Amino acid sequence: MQSLQNKKILLGISGGIASYKTATLARRLIDVGAEVRVVMTSGAQAFITPLTLQALTGNPVHTDLLDPAAEAAMGHIELARWADIIVIAPASANLMARLVNGFADDLLTTLCLATDVPILIAPAMNRLMWSNAATQDNAKTLTARGYTLLGPDEGAQACGETGAGRMLEPEDIRDRVVQFATNNGVTPISKHAGSPMPTPSEHNPAANQPSAFAEHHKSLAGLHIVITAGPTVEPIDPVRYITNRSSGKMGFALATAAVKQQAKVTLIAGPVSLSTPPGVTRIDVDTAKSMHAAALNAVHGADVFISVAAVADYRVEQVAQEKIKKNDNAMTLTLVRNPDILASIAAMPERPFCVGFAAETEHVEKYARGKLTKKKLDLIAANHVGQPDNPVFGSDTNSLEVFWPTDGHQHIPAAPKKQVAAQLLDIIAERLPTS
Ligand code: C5P
Protein backbone atom coordinates (compact mmCIF):
# COMPACT_ATOMS: atom_id res chain seq x y z
CA MET A 1 0.00 0.00 0.00
CA GLN A 2 1.42 3.38 -1.00
CA SER A 3 1.32 5.91 1.77
CA LEU A 4 -0.18 9.30 2.46
CA GLN A 5 2.52 9.90 5.06
CA ASN A 6 2.58 13.57 6.10
CA LYS A 7 -0.19 14.48 3.67
CA LYS A 8 -2.79 16.87 5.04
CA ILE A 9 -6.24 15.94 3.89
CA LEU A 10 -9.24 18.17 4.35
CA LEU A 11 -12.20 15.83 4.34
CA GLY A 12 -15.45 17.59 3.36
CA ILE A 13 -18.75 15.92 4.20
CA SER A 14 -22.03 17.06 2.69
CA GLY A 15 -25.53 15.89 3.54
CA GLY A 16 -26.41 12.35 2.54
CA ILE A 17 -26.98 8.97 4.08
CA ALA A 18 -23.57 7.83 2.75
CA SER A 19 -21.92 10.22 5.22
CA TYR A 20 -21.90 7.43 7.82
CA LYS A 21 -19.27 5.73 5.64
CA THR A 22 -17.09 8.83 5.84
CA ALA A 23 -16.27 7.97 9.44
CA THR A 24 -14.61 4.80 8.11
CA LEU A 25 -12.97 6.78 5.31
CA ALA A 26 -11.40 9.14 7.87
CA ARG A 27 -9.92 6.11 9.66
CA ARG A 28 -8.69 4.53 6.44
CA LEU A 29 -6.91 7.76 5.42
CA ILE A 30 -5.29 8.02 8.86
CA ASP A 31 -4.26 4.33 8.58
CA VAL A 32 -2.05 5.21 5.59
CA GLY A 33 -0.41 8.16 7.28
CA ALA A 34 -2.62 11.14 6.43
CA GLU A 35 -3.45 13.92 8.85
CA VAL A 36 -7.17 14.51 8.50
CA ARG A 37 -9.28 17.54 9.35
CA VAL A 38 -13.00 17.43 8.72
CA VAL A 39 -15.37 20.11 7.43
CA MET A 40 -19.09 19.33 7.60
CA THR A 41 -22.03 21.09 5.99
CA SER A 42 -25.18 21.56 8.04
CA GLY A 43 -26.79 18.77 5.96
CA ALA A 44 -23.99 16.38 6.92
CA GLN A 45 -24.61 17.08 10.61
CA ALA A 46 -28.17 15.79 10.21
CA PHE A 47 -26.67 12.37 9.41
CA ILE A 48 -23.51 12.12 11.52
CA THR A 49 -22.24 14.17 14.44
CA PRO A 50 -19.09 16.31 14.44
CA LEU A 51 -18.15 14.60 17.71
CA THR A 52 -17.80 11.25 15.92
CA LEU A 53 -15.38 12.72 13.38
CA GLN A 54 -13.52 14.67 16.06
CA ALA A 55 -12.99 11.49 18.06
CA LEU A 56 -11.82 9.58 14.98
CA THR A 57 -9.43 12.22 13.62
CA GLY A 58 -8.21 13.72 16.88
CA ASN A 59 -8.82 17.18 15.44
CA PRO A 60 -11.67 19.66 15.99
CA VAL A 61 -14.31 19.46 13.28
CA HIS A 62 -15.03 22.63 11.32
CA THR A 63 -18.65 23.49 10.63
CA ASP A 64 -19.11 27.26 10.63
CA LEU A 65 -17.98 30.02 8.36
CA LEU A 66 -18.96 32.91 10.57
CA ASP A 67 -18.16 31.58 14.02
CA PRO A 68 -15.68 33.96 15.75
CA ALA A 69 -14.32 31.25 18.07
CA ALA A 70 -13.65 28.84 15.19
CA GLU A 71 -12.11 31.61 13.08
CA ALA A 72 -9.85 32.58 15.95
CA ALA A 73 -8.64 28.96 16.29
CA MET A 74 -8.03 28.37 12.58
CA GLY A 75 -9.54 30.80 10.08
CA HIS A 76 -11.07 29.53 6.88
CA ILE A 77 -8.25 30.86 4.71
CA GLU A 78 -5.71 29.26 7.02
CA LEU A 79 -7.63 25.98 6.81
CA ALA A 80 -7.64 26.19 3.01
CA ARG A 81 -3.87 26.79 3.07
CA TRP A 82 -3.33 23.92 5.51
CA ALA A 83 -4.63 21.25 3.12
CA ASP A 84 -2.54 19.40 0.55
CA ILE A 85 -5.64 17.87 -0.95
CA ILE A 86 -9.40 18.21 -0.44
CA VAL A 87 -11.58 15.11 -0.55
CA ILE A 88 -15.37 15.55 -0.43
CA ALA A 89 -17.30 12.40 0.43
CA PRO A 90 -20.18 12.21 0.03
CA ALA A 91 -20.69 15.01 -2.46
CA SER A 92 -24.45 15.54 -2.74
CA ALA A 93 -26.20 16.79 -5.89
CA ASN A 94 -26.80 20.05 -4.07
CA LEU A 95 -23.16 20.48 -3.14
CA MET A 96 -22.06 19.80 -6.74
CA ALA A 97 -24.53 22.44 -7.99
CA ARG A 98 -23.26 24.95 -5.44
CA LEU A 99 -19.63 24.29 -6.41
CA VAL A 100 -20.44 24.73 -10.10
CA ASN A 101 -22.05 28.08 -9.35
CA GLY A 102 -19.21 29.30 -7.16
CA PHE A 103 -21.30 29.69 -4.03
CA ALA A 104 -19.49 30.58 -0.83
CA ASP A 105 -22.44 30.37 1.52
CA ASP A 106 -20.94 27.88 3.95
CA LEU A 107 -17.50 26.80 5.09
CA LEU A 108 -17.03 23.89 2.67
CA THR A 109 -17.94 25.77 -0.52
CA THR A 110 -15.89 28.77 0.63
CA LEU A 111 -12.84 26.56 1.17
CA CYS A 112 -13.23 25.08 -2.30
CA LEU A 113 -13.16 28.59 -3.77
CA ALA A 114 -10.28 29.71 -1.58
CA THR A 115 -7.88 26.91 -2.46
CA ASP A 116 -5.55 25.97 -5.27
CA VAL A 117 -5.00 22.37 -4.14
CA PRO A 118 -6.60 19.40 -5.93
CA ILE A 119 -10.22 18.65 -5.04
CA LEU A 120 -11.49 15.07 -5.31
CA ILE A 121 -15.20 14.46 -4.91
CA ALA A 122 -17.12 11.23 -4.36
CA PRO A 123 -20.73 11.84 -5.47
CA ALA A 124 -23.52 9.99 -3.67
CA MET A 125 -27.20 10.36 -4.43
CA ASN A 126 -30.31 8.62 -5.70
CA ARG A 127 -29.83 7.15 -9.21
CA LEU A 128 -32.34 9.53 -10.83
CA MET A 129 -30.70 12.54 -9.20
CA TRP A 130 -27.33 11.34 -10.55
CA SER A 131 -28.63 10.71 -14.09
CA ASN A 132 -30.54 13.99 -14.17
CA ALA A 133 -29.18 16.26 -16.90
CA ALA A 134 -28.50 19.03 -14.37
CA THR A 135 -26.25 16.79 -12.24
CA GLN A 136 -24.57 15.28 -15.31
CA ASP A 137 -23.82 18.78 -16.61
CA ASN A 138 -22.49 19.78 -13.20
CA ALA A 139 -20.26 16.68 -13.12
CA LYS A 140 -18.88 17.56 -16.55
CA THR A 141 -18.29 21.19 -15.57
CA LEU A 142 -16.47 20.22 -12.39
CA THR A 143 -14.32 17.71 -14.29
CA ALA A 144 -13.50 20.31 -16.93
CA ARG A 145 -12.43 22.69 -14.15
CA GLY A 146 -9.96 20.14 -12.82
CA TYR A 147 -11.99 18.46 -10.07
CA THR A 148 -11.48 14.70 -9.98
CA LEU A 149 -14.63 12.63 -9.64
CA LEU A 150 -14.34 9.39 -7.68
CA GLY A 151 -17.28 7.26 -8.78
CA PRO A 152 -20.12 7.07 -8.20
CA ASP A 153 -20.61 3.33 -8.12
CA GLU A 154 -23.66 1.33 -9.09
CA GLY A 155 -25.72 -0.93 -6.87
CA ALA A 156 -28.33 -1.00 -4.13
CA GLN A 157 -29.17 2.41 -2.74
CA ALA A 158 -30.37 3.44 0.70
CA CYS A 159 -33.64 4.62 -0.89
CA GLY A 160 -34.35 1.03 -1.93
CA GLU A 161 -33.61 1.58 -5.61
CA THR A 162 -30.71 0.13 -7.60
CA GLY A 163 -28.54 2.05 -10.01
CA ALA A 164 -25.66 4.49 -10.42
CA GLY A 165 -25.21 6.97 -7.58
CA ARG A 166 -23.81 4.92 -4.70
CA MET A 167 -20.76 6.38 -3.01
CA LEU A 168 -17.60 4.33 -3.57
CA GLU A 169 -16.62 2.23 -0.57
CA PRO A 170 -14.23 3.98 1.88
CA GLU A 171 -11.37 1.63 0.93
CA ASP A 172 -11.85 2.40 -2.78
CA ILE A 173 -11.84 6.14 -2.06
CA ARG A 174 -8.70 5.78 0.04
CA ASP A 175 -6.99 3.84 -2.76
CA ARG A 176 -7.97 6.46 -5.33
CA VAL A 177 -6.69 9.27 -3.10
CA VAL A 178 -3.38 7.44 -2.59
CA GLN A 179 -3.14 6.84 -6.34
CA PHE A 180 -3.94 10.48 -7.10
CA ALA A 181 -1.43 11.80 -4.56
CA THR A 182 1.27 9.47 -5.87
CA ASN A 183 0.71 10.35 -9.52
CA ASN A 184 0.21 14.05 -9.15
CA GLY A 185 2.60 15.03 -6.40
CA VAL A 186 0.23 16.87 -4.11
CA THR A 187 2.59 19.51 -2.74
CA PRO A 188 0.36 22.52 -3.32
CA ILE A 189 1.60 25.28 -5.55
CA SER A 190 0.43 27.86 -3.00
CA LYS A 191 3.15 26.60 -0.66
CA HIS A 192 5.87 27.69 -3.11
CA ALA A 193 6.17 31.44 -2.68
CA GLY A 194 5.75 33.37 -5.88
CA SER A 195 4.27 30.51 -7.91
CA PRO A 196 1.43 31.50 -10.21
CA MET A 197 -2.12 30.24 -9.66
CA PRO A 198 -2.37 26.76 -11.11
CA THR A 199 -4.61 26.09 -14.09
CA PRO A 200 -7.16 23.26 -13.85
CA SER A 201 -4.76 21.00 -15.71
CA GLU A 202 -2.10 21.64 -13.09
CA HIS A 203 -4.59 20.59 -10.44
CA ASN A 204 -5.45 17.53 -12.41
CA PRO A 205 -3.14 16.83 -15.29
CA ALA A 206 -5.88 14.75 -16.84
CA ALA A 207 -8.00 17.84 -17.44
CA ASN A 208 -7.75 20.08 -20.49
CA GLN A 209 -5.00 18.11 -22.18
CA PRO A 210 -4.44 19.16 -25.77
CA SER A 211 -4.65 16.35 -28.29
CA ALA A 212 -1.26 17.18 -29.77
CA PHE A 213 1.73 15.75 -27.92
CA ALA A 214 4.99 17.42 -27.13
CA GLU A 215 6.83 14.15 -26.76
CA HIS A 216 6.41 10.49 -27.55
CA HIS A 217 3.81 8.88 -25.28
CA LYS A 218 4.46 5.38 -24.05
CA SER A 219 1.95 5.87 -21.30
CA LEU A 220 -1.66 6.99 -21.14
CA ALA A 221 -1.20 8.63 -17.73
CA GLY A 222 -2.95 11.97 -17.60
CA LEU A 223 -4.60 11.62 -21.00
CA HIS A 224 -8.35 11.97 -21.53
CA ILE A 225 -9.82 8.89 -23.20
CA VAL A 226 -13.42 8.79 -24.43
CA ILE A 227 -14.92 5.33 -24.99
CA THR A 228 -18.30 4.31 -26.41
CA ALA A 229 -19.63 0.91 -25.34
CA GLY A 230 -22.61 -1.40 -25.57
CA PRO A 231 -25.47 -1.44 -28.03
CA THR A 232 -27.79 1.35 -29.06
CA VAL A 233 -31.55 0.97 -28.90
CA GLU A 234 -33.75 2.32 -31.67
CA PRO A 235 -37.44 2.71 -30.79
CA ILE A 236 -40.26 1.51 -33.04
CA ASP A 237 -43.10 2.64 -30.78
CA PRO A 238 -43.38 3.32 -27.03
CA VAL A 239 -42.95 -0.37 -26.18
CA ARG A 240 -40.84 -1.87 -28.98
CA TYR A 241 -37.32 -1.30 -30.20
CA ILE A 242 -34.50 -2.64 -32.38
CA THR A 243 -31.17 -3.43 -30.74
CA ASN A 244 -28.27 -5.92 -30.91
CA ARG A 245 -26.48 -8.40 -28.67
CA SER A 246 -23.55 -6.21 -27.57
CA SER A 247 -22.94 -6.65 -23.82
CA GLY A 248 -20.63 -3.63 -23.41
CA LYS A 249 -18.04 -5.82 -21.66
CA MET A 250 -15.12 -4.95 -23.97
CA GLY A 251 -15.74 -1.19 -23.69
CA PHE A 252 -16.08 -1.41 -19.90
CA ALA A 253 -12.90 -3.52 -19.71
CA LEU A 254 -11.06 -0.82 -21.69
CA ALA A 255 -12.41 1.89 -19.37
CA THR A 256 -11.23 -0.09 -16.31
CA ALA A 257 -7.81 -0.72 -17.82
CA ALA A 258 -7.42 2.94 -18.85
CA VAL A 259 -8.14 4.15 -15.29
CA LYS A 260 -5.52 1.66 -14.04
CA GLN A 261 -3.07 3.30 -16.45
CA GLN A 262 -3.95 6.68 -14.80
CA ALA A 263 -5.98 8.05 -17.71
CA LYS A 264 -9.06 10.20 -17.25
CA VAL A 265 -11.91 8.20 -18.76
CA THR A 266 -15.32 9.20 -20.08
CA LEU A 267 -17.44 6.16 -20.89
CA ILE A 268 -20.52 6.69 -23.05
CA ALA A 269 -22.65 3.61 -22.55
CA GLY A 270 -25.70 2.28 -24.32
CA PRO A 271 -28.14 0.24 -22.22
CA VAL A 272 -26.07 -2.48 -20.52
CA SER A 273 -26.27 -4.19 -17.15
CA LEU A 274 -22.72 -3.45 -16.04
CA SER A 275 -21.62 -1.34 -13.09
CA THR A 276 -19.52 1.74 -13.61
CA PRO A 277 -15.82 1.01 -13.14
CA PRO A 278 -14.45 3.12 -10.24
CA GLY A 279 -12.89 6.34 -11.42
CA VAL A 280 -14.79 6.46 -14.70
CA THR A 281 -17.17 9.27 -15.69
CA ARG A 282 -20.11 7.45 -17.25
CA ILE A 283 -22.73 8.98 -19.53
CA ASP A 284 -25.72 6.76 -20.24
CA VAL A 285 -27.40 7.02 -23.63
CA ASP A 286 -29.89 4.93 -25.61
CA THR A 287 -30.21 5.75 -29.32
CA ALA A 288 -27.39 6.19 -31.84
CA LYS A 289 -28.34 9.86 -32.11
CA SER A 290 -28.00 10.40 -28.35
CA MET A 291 -24.69 8.51 -28.35
CA HIS A 292 -23.50 10.70 -31.23
CA ALA A 293 -24.42 13.90 -29.37
CA ALA A 294 -22.75 12.72 -26.15
CA ALA A 295 -19.59 11.64 -28.01
CA LEU A 296 -19.28 14.92 -29.94
CA ASN A 297 -19.59 16.77 -26.66
CA ALA A 298 -17.10 14.57 -24.80
CA VAL A 299 -14.29 14.46 -27.37
CA HIS A 300 -13.50 18.17 -27.29
CA GLY A 301 -9.95 18.39 -26.00
CA ALA A 302 -9.79 14.59 -25.57
CA ASP A 303 -6.66 12.71 -26.56
CA VAL A 304 -8.05 9.34 -27.59
CA PHE A 305 -11.48 8.20 -28.82
CA ILE A 306 -12.16 4.45 -28.78
CA SER A 307 -15.40 3.47 -30.46
CA VAL A 308 -16.31 0.06 -29.12
CA ALA A 309 -20.09 0.50 -29.24
CA ALA A 310 -22.17 -1.62 -31.58
CA VAL A 311 -24.01 1.37 -32.98
CA ALA A 312 -27.22 0.53 -34.85
CA ASP A 313 -26.64 1.38 -38.50
CA TYR A 314 -30.33 2.15 -39.03
CA ARG A 315 -33.22 3.62 -37.07
CA VAL A 316 -36.95 3.60 -37.70
CA GLU A 317 -37.88 6.61 -39.83
CA GLN A 318 -41.21 7.33 -38.13
CA VAL A 319 -41.36 6.26 -34.49
CA ALA A 320 -45.04 5.66 -33.66
CA GLN A 321 -46.32 7.80 -30.79
CA GLU A 322 -48.77 5.09 -29.73
CA LYS A 323 -48.34 1.31 -29.58
CA ILE A 324 -48.73 -0.10 -33.09
CA LYS A 325 -51.76 -2.39 -33.26
CA LYS A 326 -51.43 -5.66 -35.15
CA ASN A 327 -53.71 -6.65 -38.00
CA ASP A 328 -53.71 -9.52 -40.49
CA ASN A 329 -51.42 -7.84 -43.02
CA ALA A 330 -47.66 -7.94 -43.29
CA MET A 331 -45.96 -4.84 -41.95
CA THR A 332 -43.11 -2.77 -43.38
CA LEU A 333 -40.86 -0.56 -41.30
CA THR A 334 -38.85 2.06 -43.15
CA LEU A 335 -35.34 2.35 -41.73
CA VAL A 336 -33.00 5.28 -42.29
CA ARG A 337 -29.23 5.46 -41.75
CA ASN A 338 -27.85 6.54 -38.40
CA PRO A 339 -24.84 8.84 -38.26
CA ASP A 340 -21.46 7.09 -38.21
CA ILE A 341 -20.20 8.40 -34.87
CA LEU A 342 -16.61 7.29 -35.31
CA ALA A 343 -16.28 8.58 -38.88
CA SER A 344 -17.75 11.94 -37.92
CA ILE A 345 -15.29 12.34 -35.04
CA ALA A 346 -12.35 11.18 -37.17
CA ALA A 347 -13.35 13.86 -39.72
CA MET A 348 -13.14 16.70 -37.17
CA PRO A 349 -10.34 19.20 -37.87
CA GLU A 350 -9.00 18.92 -34.30
CA ARG A 351 -9.61 15.34 -33.42
CA PRO A 352 -8.40 12.82 -30.91
CA PHE A 353 -6.45 9.70 -31.88
CA CYS A 354 -9.30 7.56 -33.27
CA VAL A 355 -9.61 3.83 -32.64
CA GLY A 356 -12.35 1.70 -34.19
CA PHE A 357 -13.58 -1.83 -33.60
CA ALA A 358 -14.73 -4.20 -36.31
CA ALA A 359 -16.55 -7.48 -35.78
CA GLU A 360 -16.05 -9.62 -38.87
CA THR A 361 -17.04 -13.18 -39.75
CA GLU A 362 -14.65 -13.49 -42.73
CA HIS A 363 -11.83 -11.66 -44.59
CA VAL A 364 -10.92 -9.96 -41.32
CA GLU A 365 -7.87 -8.03 -42.51
CA LYS A 366 -9.44 -6.90 -45.79
CA TYR A 367 -12.65 -5.64 -44.19
CA ALA A 368 -10.94 -4.11 -41.15
CA ARG A 369 -8.39 -2.26 -43.30
CA GLY A 370 -11.25 -1.08 -45.52
CA LYS A 371 -12.89 0.54 -42.46
CA LEU A 372 -9.55 1.92 -41.26
CA THR A 373 -9.12 3.77 -44.55
CA LYS A 374 -12.74 4.72 -45.19
CA LYS A 375 -13.29 6.13 -41.69
CA LYS A 376 -9.78 7.70 -41.61
CA LEU A 377 -8.84 5.94 -38.37
CA ASP A 378 -5.50 5.72 -36.60
CA LEU A 379 -6.04 2.13 -35.49
CA ILE A 380 -8.65 -0.60 -35.77
CA ALA A 381 -9.17 -3.64 -33.56
CA ALA A 382 -10.90 -6.45 -35.38
CA ASN A 383 -12.42 -9.53 -33.83
CA HIS A 384 -13.13 -12.60 -35.85
CA VAL A 385 -16.54 -13.44 -34.46
CA GLY A 386 -17.89 -16.95 -34.61
CA GLN A 387 -14.44 -18.50 -34.00
CA PRO A 388 -13.90 -21.09 -31.25
CA ASP A 389 -11.85 -18.56 -29.20
CA ASN A 390 -14.25 -15.73 -30.01
CA PRO A 391 -17.68 -17.27 -29.98
CA VAL A 392 -20.38 -14.67 -29.52
CA PHE A 393 -21.14 -11.23 -28.22
CA GLY A 394 -21.31 -11.21 -24.45
CA SER A 395 -18.37 -13.53 -23.89
CA ASP A 396 -15.82 -12.75 -21.16
CA THR A 397 -12.89 -13.46 -23.47
CA ASN A 398 -11.76 -11.99 -26.74
CA SER A 399 -8.92 -12.06 -29.23
CA LEU A 400 -8.05 -9.19 -31.54
CA GLU A 401 -6.21 -8.42 -34.74
CA VAL A 402 -5.03 -4.83 -34.50
CA PHE A 403 -4.26 -2.92 -37.70
CA TRP A 404 -2.96 0.56 -38.36
CA PRO A 405 -2.00 2.45 -41.51
CA THR A 406 1.11 1.54 -43.48
CA ASP A 407 0.60 -2.18 -42.93
CA GLY A 408 0.95 -2.24 -39.13
CA HIS A 409 -0.48 -5.37 -37.50
CA GLN A 410 -0.43 -7.02 -34.10
CA HIS A 411 -2.26 -10.10 -32.85
CA ILE A 412 -3.67 -10.14 -29.31
CA PRO A 413 -4.32 -13.79 -28.42
CA ALA A 414 -7.52 -14.99 -26.74
CA ALA A 415 -7.62 -13.93 -23.08
CA PRO A 416 -10.07 -12.40 -20.59
CA LYS A 417 -11.30 -9.05 -21.91
CA LYS A 418 -9.49 -7.25 -19.05
CA GLN A 419 -6.14 -8.51 -20.30
CA VAL A 420 -6.94 -7.91 -23.94
CA ALA A 421 -7.98 -4.34 -23.04
CA ALA A 422 -4.67 -3.65 -21.28
CA GLN A 423 -2.71 -4.94 -24.28
CA LEU A 424 -4.75 -2.88 -26.71
CA LEU A 425 -4.12 0.25 -24.60
CA ASP A 426 -0.37 -0.48 -24.72
CA ILE A 427 -0.53 -0.60 -28.51
CA ILE A 428 -2.50 2.68 -28.56
CA ALA A 429 0.03 4.36 -26.25
CA GLU A 430 2.82 3.14 -28.51
CA ARG A 431 1.10 4.49 -31.63
CA LEU A 432 0.16 7.95 -30.28
CA PRO A 433 1.78 10.74 -32.31
CA THR A 434 5.01 12.24 -31.12
CA SER A 435 4.19 15.89 -31.80
O1 C5P B 1 -20.40 -1.05 -37.98
P1 C5P B 1 -18.96 -0.96 -38.44
O2 C5P B 1 -18.33 -2.27 -38.68
O3 C5P B 1 -18.78 0.06 -39.53
O4 C5P B 1 -18.21 -0.40 -37.14
C1 C5P B 1 -16.86 -0.05 -37.18
C2 C5P B 1 -16.58 0.99 -36.13
O5 C5P B 1 -17.40 2.14 -36.35
C3 C5P B 1 -16.84 0.57 -34.70
O6 C5P B 1 -15.77 1.11 -33.95
C4 C5P B 1 -18.16 1.25 -34.33
O7 C5P B 1 -18.19 1.58 -32.94
C5 C5P B 1 -18.14 2.49 -35.18
N1 C5P B 1 -19.48 2.92 -35.63
C6 C5P B 1 -19.96 4.15 -35.25
N2 C5P B 1 -21.18 4.59 -35.69
C7 C5P B 1 -21.94 3.81 -36.50
C8 C5P B 1 -21.47 2.54 -36.90
C9 C5P B 1 -20.24 2.11 -36.44
O8 C5P B 1 -19.27 4.86 -34.50
N3 C5P B 1 -23.11 4.26 -36.90
Side-chain angles (χ1 to χ4, degrees), residues 384-405:
H384 198 169
V385 293
Q387 296 302 295
D389 66 348
N390 223 4
V392 281
F393 281 113
S395 154
D396 288 323
T397 59
N398 203 359
S399 67
L400 293 174
E401 302 298 334
V402 186
F403 303 103
W404 55 90

Side-chain angles (χ1 to χ4, degrees), residues 40-42 63-66 94-95 97-99 101-113:
M40 297 175 77
T41 66
S42 56
T63 53
D64 291 310
L65 180 59
L66 302 174
N94 181 49
L95 183 83
R98 292 195 295 132
L99 291 174
N101 285 289
F103 283 7
D105 57 352
D106 68 2
L107 183 59
L108 184 54
T109 50
T110 302
L111 289 170
C112 290
L113 280 183

Side-chain angles (χ1 to χ4, degrees), residues 307-309 311-313 338-342 356-357 371 375:
S307 181
V308 198
V311 185
D313 291 317
N338 267 328
D340 190 308
I341 301 170
L342 178 57
F357 265 72
K371 287 175 190 175
K375 302 194 189 201

